[in-house]
Structure formats: C-alpha cells, structure tokens
Amino acid sequence: LVDQWAETYGLDPLLVDAFIRTESGFDPVATSSVDARGLMQIMPSVARQFDVPAGDIANPETNIWLANKLMSKIMSSLRFPEGTPEKDRMSIILASYNSGIGHVNDARRLARLNGENPNSWEVVARYLTLKAEPEFYENEVVRCGRFTGSRQTLAYVNDVIGRYDRYCRIAGR
C-alpha cells in the first residue's frame, strides 16, 4: 500500500514509512487525543475535505491514500522554486502536514517580509517559533494568528527526517 500510493503521488515510500512510524508506530487503529486516526493519523476534517466518511479513515488503504493525497496537495500549493534543496522542501512539507499549511504559510510570508528566504527550513522554523509572539502574529501578513505548537512541530520534522535518513542508509541510498 505504501509503495502503491507513494508512487501514485510522487513521494518516496521510505519517507512515507518514516511518517507512519512517527505518526502511529505502525498501529492501524491508533487514535490521538485530537481524534487523528490510523497509520498516518488523518483528522476527520481532512477526510471531509476529500469526501471520505470519517468512519473509513482508520482503514489502512484509505488512510495511506488520504495522507499521500494530502501530501501531494501540500507540495503543489507551497510552490517551491526550482533549486530549493530537497531537505528544506521535505521539512517545510512535513511541518505543513503536522501543524497546518496556514501556519507554515504565515511563517513563509513573515520571512519574505523581513527579506529572508521563505524556502529555507531554518528560516521557516524560526518564524514558526516567533508566531507565538504578538509582534509577529499580529502582523498584517499573518492570516492564521498565534501559533504555540512550534516545539512539537520542530520535533516532529526532526523525527521524520531522522528516520527517513536512517531508512535511506539501511536501503543503501
């Protein structure tokens, strides 16, 4: 299932495996405290976005399909310029998956406003953290308000990227 849906949506299956390990520990019936469900911890709101009944999201095939479809949508909406380093792209996409693309786009707009690279994960991560401060989240370019989840999001990105790197080494890539 991972190979099938990752290939369909242009993702590396090892990255999807790293996602699943981080999200659910490969437990297909995992449910989070905020009601994210299944292997890739899909929220019912995401299921609604793609016209999938909430009761179906714990099904492994549906869950993996939805997560890959969401990742593909995130990738295309972020519009990275050619030449953006792969690690930066992956990290920003992972942050969007974890915290919501709105907060990540706010951080990218703040970076651009301050003359910094909105396609650098290091820069975006810093602005995600700064979005907890009124002088940043009250800025007119910020559309999603205050963000206090940066610590969790940064740890999530580091965890998935670290696992992905290990999986690539094991696979001889």
mmCIF file of all heavy atoms in Angstrom, residues 117-137:
data_model
loop_
_atom_site.group_PDB
_atom_site.id
_atom_site.type_symbol
_atom_site.label_atom_id
_atom_site.label_comp_id
_atom_site.label_asym_id
_atom_site.label_seq_id
_atom_site.Cartn_x
_atom_site.Cartn_y
_atom_site.Cartn_z
ATOM 1 N N ASN A 117 14.771 34.096 3.272
ATOM 2 C CA ASN A 117 14.386 33.054 2.323
ATOM 3 C C ASN A 117 13.202 32.239 2.852
ATOM 4 O O ASN A 117 13.362 31.455 3.789
ATOM 5 C CB ASN A 117 15.585 32.139 2.055
ATOM 6 C CG ASN A 117 15.289 31.070 1.034
ATOM 7 O OD1 ASN A 117 14.186 30.951 0.532
ATOM 8 N ND2 ASN A 117 16.298 30.274 0.726
ATOM 9 N N PRO A 118 12.027 32.365 2.221
ATOM 10 C CA PRO A 118 10.846 31.621 2.671
ATOM 11 C C PRO A 118 10.880 30.140 2.290
ATOM 12 O O PRO A 118 9.956 29.404 2.609
ATOM 13 C CB PRO A 118 9.691 32.339 1.968
ATOM 14 C CG PRO A 118 10.310 32.853 0.711
ATOM 15 C CD PRO A 118 11.723 33.241 1.082
ATOM 16 N N ASN A 119 11.936 29.724 1.609
ATOM 17 C CA ASN A 119 12.078 28.324 1.199
ATOM 18 C C ASN A 119 13.160 27.609 1.986
ATOM 19 O O ASN A 119 13.502 26.478 1.678
ATOM 20 C CB ASN A 119 12.358 28.250 -0.307
ATOM 21 C CG ASN A 119 11.251 28.920 -1.092
ATOM 22 O OD1 ASN A 119 10.094 28.584 -0.943
ATOM 23 N ND2 ASN A 119 11.607 29.897 -1.893
ATOM 24 N N SER A 120 13.690 28.275 2.995
ATOM 25 C CA SER A 120 14.691 27.676 3.881
ATOM 26 C C SER A 120 13.992 27.163 5.132
ATOM 27 O O SER A 120 13.294 27.919 5.822
ATOM 28 C CB SER A 120 15.733 28.729 4.271
ATOM 29 O OG SER A 120 16.435 28.332 5.432
ATOM 30 N N TRP A 121 14.172 25.877 5.441
ATOM 31 C CA TRP A 121 13.550 25.320 6.631
ATOM 32 C C TRP A 121 14.049 26.027 7.887
ATOM 33 O O TRP A 121 13.273 26.305 8.799
ATOM 34 C CB TRP A 121 13.771 23.818 6.721
ATOM 35 C CG TRP A 121 13.353 23.252 8.052
ATOM 36 C CD1 TRP A 121 14.122 22.577 8.936
ATOM 37 C CD2 TRP A 121 12.063 23.357 8.668
ATOM 38 N NE1 TRP A 121 13.397 22.236 10.056
ATOM 39 C CE2 TRP A 121 12.118 22.710 9.912
ATOM 40 C CE3 TRP A 121 10.851 23.938 8.281
ATOM 41 C CZ2 TRP A 121 11.025 22.612 10.769
ATOM 42 C CZ3 TRP A 121 9.761 23.853 9.143
ATOM 43 C CH2 TRP A 121 9.852 23.199 10.370
ATOM 44 N N GLU A 122 15.317 26.336 7.957
ATOM 45 C CA GLU A 122 15.864 27.015 9.133
ATOM 46 C C GLU A 122 15.129 28.336 9.379
ATOM 47 O O GLU A 122 14.761 28.659 10.506
ATOM 48 C CB GLU A 122 17.359 27.264 8.933
ATOM 49 C CG GLU A 122 18.028 27.925 10.113
ATOM 50 C CD GLU A 122 19.508 28.191 9.874
ATOM 51 O OE1 GLU A 122 20.133 27.471 9.077
ATOM 52 O OE2 GLU A 122 20.016 29.128 10.495
ATOM 53 N N VAL A 123 14.884 29.090 8.318
ATOM 54 C CA VAL A 123 14.191 30.379 8.428
ATOM 55 C C VAL A 123 12.720 30.164 8.796
ATOM 56 O O VAL A 123 12.199 30.812 9.709
ATOM 57 C CB VAL A 123 14.324 31.174 7.105
ATOM 58 C CG1 VAL A 123 13.438 32.412 7.113
ATOM 59 C CG2 VAL A 123 15.783 31.561 6.858
ATOM 60 N N VAL A 124 12.048 29.260 8.101
ATOM 61 C CA VAL A 124 10.631 28.996 8.370
ATOM 62 C C VAL A 124 10.438 28.497 9.799
ATOM 63 O O VAL A 124 9.522 28.938 10.499
ATOM 64 C CB VAL A 124 10.052 27.998 7.333
ATOM 65 C CG1 VAL A 124 8.649 27.547 7.718
ATOM 66 C CG2 VAL A 124 10.053 28.626 5.942
ATOM 67 N N ALA A 125 11.321 27.615 10.255
ATOM 68 C CA ALA A 125 11.229 27.092 11.623
ATOM 69 C C ALA A 125 11.335 28.238 12.640
ATOM 70 O O ALA A 125 10.587 28.269 13.626
ATOM 71 C CB ALA A 125 12.326 26.062 11.869
ATOM 72 N N ARG A 126 12.238 29.162 12.383
ATOM 73 C CA ARG A 126 12.402 30.298 13.305
ATOM 74 C C ARG A 126 11.129 31.142 13.351
ATOM 75 O O ARG A 126 10.661 31.532 14.418
ATOM 76 C CB ARG A 126 13.598 31.149 12.876
ATOM 77 C CG ARG A 126 13.913 32.266 13.853
ATOM 78 C CD ARG A 126 15.295 32.884 13.676
ATOM 79 N NE ARG A 126 15.859 32.822 12.349
ATOM 80 C CZ ARG A 126 15.613 33.717 11.375
ATOM 81 N NH1 ARG A 126 14.800 34.720 11.593
ATOM 82 N NH2 ARG A 126 16.189 33.586 10.192
ATOM 83 N N TYR A 127 10.524 31.405 12.183
ATOM 84 C CA TYR A 127 9.301 32.210 12.168
ATOM 85 C C TYR A 127 8.105 31.455 12.741
ATOM 86 O O TYR A 127 7.219 32.079 13.334
ATOM 87 C CB TYR A 127 9.008 32.759 10.768
ATOM 88 C CG TYR A 127 9.879 33.965 10.471
ATOM 89 C CD1 TYR A 127 10.992 33.860 9.660
ATOM 90 C CD2 TYR A 127 9.601 35.206 11.049
ATOM 91 C CE1 TYR A 127 11.812 34.953 9.411
ATOM 92 C CE2 TYR A 127 10.411 36.306 10.810
ATOM 93 C CZ TYR A 127 11.515 36.175 9.990
ATOM 94 O OH TYR A 127 12.316 37.257 9.766
ATOM 95 N N LEU A 128 8.068 30.142 12.601
ATOM 96 C CA LEU A 128 7.012 29.382 13.271
ATOM 97 C C LEU A 128 7.100 29.586 14.780
ATOM 98 O O LEU A 128 6.085 29.772 15.458
ATOM 99 C CB LEU A 128 7.129 27.886 12.942
ATOM 100 C CG LEU A 128 6.532 27.415 11.632
ATOM 101 C CD1 LEU A 128 6.871 25.948 11.391
ATOM 102 C CD2 LEU A 128 5.029 27.625 11.586
ATOM 103 N N THR A 129 8.312 29.574 15.305
ATOM 104 C CA THR A 129 8.517 29.793 16.735
ATOM 105 C C THR A 129 8.135 31.224 17.126
ATOM 106 O O THR A 129 7.472 31.444 18.148
ATOM 107 C CB THR A 129 9.983 29.498 17.107
ATOM 108 O OG1 THR A 129 10.267 28.138 16.760
ATOM 109 C CG2 THR A 129 10.235 29.708 18.591
ATOM 110 N N LEU A 130 8.516 32.181 16.286
ATOM 111 C CA LEU A 130 8.220 33.592 16.578
ATOM 112 C C LEU A 130 6.724 33.910 16.506
ATOM 113 O O LEU A 130 6.275 34.905 17.078
ATOM 114 C CB LEU A 130 8.997 34.501 15.621
ATOM 115 C CG LEU A 130 10.509 34.540 15.846
ATOM 116 C CD1 LEU A 130 11.204 35.276 14.707
ATOM 117 C CD2 LEU A 130 10.851 35.165 17.195
ATOM 118 N N LYS A 131 5.938 33.051 15.828
ATOM 119 C CA LYS A 131 4.496 33.291 15.734
ATOM 120 C C LYS A 131 3.776 33.157 17.076
ATOM 121 O O LYS A 131 2.579 33.394 17.159
ATOM 122 C CB LYS A 131 3.859 32.338 14.721
ATOM 123 C CG LYS A 131 3.965 32.837 13.288
ATOM 124 C CD LYS A 131 3.059 32.046 12.383
ATOM 125 C CE LYS A 131 1.638 32.295 12.786
ATOM 126 N NZ LYS A 131 0.636 31.489 12.257
ATOM 127 N N ALA A 132 4.502 32.843 18.128
ATOM 128 C CA ALA A 132 3.908 32.836 19.470
ATOM 129 C C ALA A 132 3.970 34.233 20.090
ATOM 130 O O ALA A 132 3.338 34.486 21.114
ATOM 131 C CB ALA A 132 4.640 31.839 20.368
ATOM 132 N N GLU A 133 4.732 35.135 19.461
ATOM 133 C CA GLU A 133 4.940 36.492 19.982
ATOM 134 C C GLU A 133 4.007 37.486 19.275
ATOM 135 O O GLU A 133 3.920 37.475 18.044
ATOM 136 C CB GLU A 133 6.393 36.918 19.757
ATOM 137 C CG GLU A 133 7.428 35.972 20.333
ATOM 138 C CD GLU A 133 7.325 35.833 21.838
ATOM 139 O OE1 GLU A 133 7.000 36.845 22.504
ATOM 140 O OE2 GLU A 133 7.535 34.718 22.343
ATOM 141 N N PRO A 134 3.347 38.380 20.057
ATOM 142 C CA PRO A 134 2.397 39.327 19.459
ATOM 143 C C PRO A 134 2.988 40.166 18.328
ATOM 144 O O PRO A 134 2.296 40.428 17.337
ATOM 145 C CB PRO A 134 1.977 40.222 20.628
ATOM 146 C CG PRO A 134 2.316 39.465 21.849
ATOM 147 C CD PRO A 134 3.427 38.530 21.512
ATOM 148 N N GLU A 135 4.241 40.576 18.452
ATOM 149 C CA GLU A 135 4.815 41.414 17.395
ATOM 150 C C GLU A 135 4.913 40.683 16.063
ATOM 151 O O GLU A 135 5.040 41.311 15.012
ATOM 152 C CB GLU A 135 6.179 42.009 17.792
ATOM 153 C CG GLU A 135 7.247 41.001 18.103
ATOM 154 C CD GLU A 135 7.364 40.661 19.583
ATOM 155 O OE1 GLU A 135 6.344 40.688 20.304
ATOM 156 O OE2 GLU A 135 8.485 40.349 20.016
ATOM 157 N N PHE A 136 4.789 39.359 16.081
ATOM 158 C CA PHE A 136 4.798 38.587 14.843
ATOM 159 C C PHE A 136 3.396 38.136 14.459
ATOM 160 O O PHE A 136 2.971 38.334 13.321
ATOM 161 C CB PHE A 136 5.761 37.390 14.955
ATOM 162 C CG PHE A 136 7.184 37.832 14.994
ATOM 163 C CD1 PHE A 136 7.827 38.069 16.198
ATOM 164 C CD2 PHE A 136 7.888 38.056 13.822
ATOM 165 C CE1 PHE A 136 9.128 38.516 16.248
ATOM 166 C CE2 PHE A 136 9.203 38.505 13.851
ATOM 167 C CZ PHE A 136 9.821 38.730 15.067
ATOM 168 N N TYR A 137 2.633 37.521 15.381
ATOM 169 C CA TYR A 137 1.321 37.006 14.981
ATOM 170 C C TYR A 137 0.293 38.112 14.752
ATOM 171 O O TYR A 137 -0.731 37.882 14.112
ATOM 172 C CB TYR A 137 0.794 35.921 15.926
ATOM 173 C CG TYR A 137 0.363 36.342 17.311
ATOM 174 C CD1 TYR A 137 -0.838 37.000 17.535
ATOM 175 C CD2 TYR A 137 1.144 36.010 18.411
ATOM 176 C CE1 TYR A 137 -1.241 37.347 18.807
ATOM 177 C CE2 TYR A 137 0.755 36.348 19.693
ATOM 178 C CZ TYR A 137 -0.438 37.021 19.886
ATOM 179 O OH TYR A 137 -0.830 37.351 21.154
#
